[in-house]
Amino acid sequence: MIGSFSATRDTIAMSSRMAEAGADAVLVVTPCFYKNGMHDRAMIQHFTKVADAVPVPVIIYSVPANTGIDLGAGVVAELAKHTDIIGLKDSGGDVAKLGNVVYKTKQDDFQVLAGSASFLLPANVMGCVGGVCALANVLGEAVCQLHSLYQTGQMNEARDLQHRLIAPNMDVTRKFGVPEGRHVHL
C-alpha cells in the first residue's frame, strides 16, 4: 500500500503509477487544497473517480489534523459500497466515529483501520481490524503486541500496554517524527 493525494486528476495519475510499480493498493488522502469546496458530494465524487480509474483497490485516508477535513461517517459508508474502495485509515482519533463507520459498513467488504497507536485498542474494541500507525516504525513489536493482546482477549494487559504507548506515540507524531524515533522509548 502506497499513499497518494492531490487533485483528482493528479491522484489518479500518481495512483496508477504506484500500481504499475507494484502497489497492491493505494492510500488516498482527502483532497484539501480548496477546503471550502470539499463538501460531502465533492469527497464522494473524488474518491469514486479515483477508484473507477486506478487498477488497484483504494483505501481512504482521513487525517484531519493535517488536511483540516474530517470525512463524515455517512460519506465513508456511501463510499464503502464501491467495490474498489476497500477501507478507511482514520487518524482523527474520534473512536465513536470509528465505531459508527464500522457499524454503517458492516454489510460491505470494507475494513476500518486506526490511524494512530494512541487509540489503537479502543478502535479495535469498536470493531476496527487493526491500524496503520507511525509508532510501529519505531516500536513495531509493542504495537503488534497490543493488537495481539486484544485479539487473544488479554484486555488488562492490552489496556496497560495501550496506556504506555500513548506518550511515545505523541513523541513520534507531534514532537520528534519518525526519523528521530531513536529518542522514543516505552
Side-chain angles (χ1 to χ4, degrees):
M1 171 173 56
I2 299 175
S4 171
F5 80 99
S6 193
T8 303
R9 179 183 59 237
D10 297 334
T11 299
I12 290 168
M14 184 184 305
S15 298
S16 295
R17 285 193 304 273
M18 291 175 183
E20 290 169 13
D24 295 321
V26 290
L27 184 68
V28 179
V29 176
T30 53
C32 60
F33 193 74
Y34 297 105
K35 287 183 193 141
N36 292 338
M38 295 298 108
H39 47 78
D40 291 352
R41 220 17 62 210
M43 290 295 168
I44 292 167
Q45 183 178 21
H46 170 77
F47 285 106
T48 299
K49 284 183 176 183
V50 171
D52 286 345
V54 300
V56 294
V58 170
I59 300 167
I60 301 163
Y61 184 14
S62 179
V63 56
N66 294 346
T67 64
I69 295 172
D70 189 12
L71 287 177
V75 171
V76 176
E78 186 169 335
L79 290 167
K81 300 201 178 316
H82 193 292
T83 57
D84 291 323
I85 298 177
I86 63 169
L88 167 72
K89 173 187 176 183
D90 193 306
S91 297
D94 183 343
V95 176
K97 176 188 157 192
L98 289 173
N100 194 18
V101 170
V102 168
Y103 177 75
K104 288 179 177 247
T105 62
K106 66 183 176 184
Q107 301 303 320
D108 302 303
D109 189 16
F110 191 81
Q111 296 186 332
V112 182
L113 301 159
S116 174
S118 65
F119 56 87
L120 181 57
L121 179 60
N124 282 337
V125 170
M126 293 304 290
C128 290
V129 297
V132 179
C133 308
L135 185 61
N137 290 292
V138 178
L139 296 174
E141 189 174 324
V143 173
C144 290
Q145 181 184 12
L146 175 59
H147 188 68
S148 294
L149 288 169
Y150 167 75
Q151 287 185 314
T152 58
Q154 299 175 65
M155 293 304 289
N156 289 333
E157 295 86 349
R159 183 190 62 237
D160 292 344
L161 180 55
Q162 175 68 82
H163 286 155
R164 293 192 341 258
L165 290 176
I166 293 171
N169 186 77
M170 291 178 72
D171 285 345
V172 166
T173 59
R174 296 184 184 168
K175 187 175 179 182
F176 298 119
V178 172
E180 295 296 321
R182 67 182 179 277
H183 301 294
V184 176
H185 306 285
L186 258 179

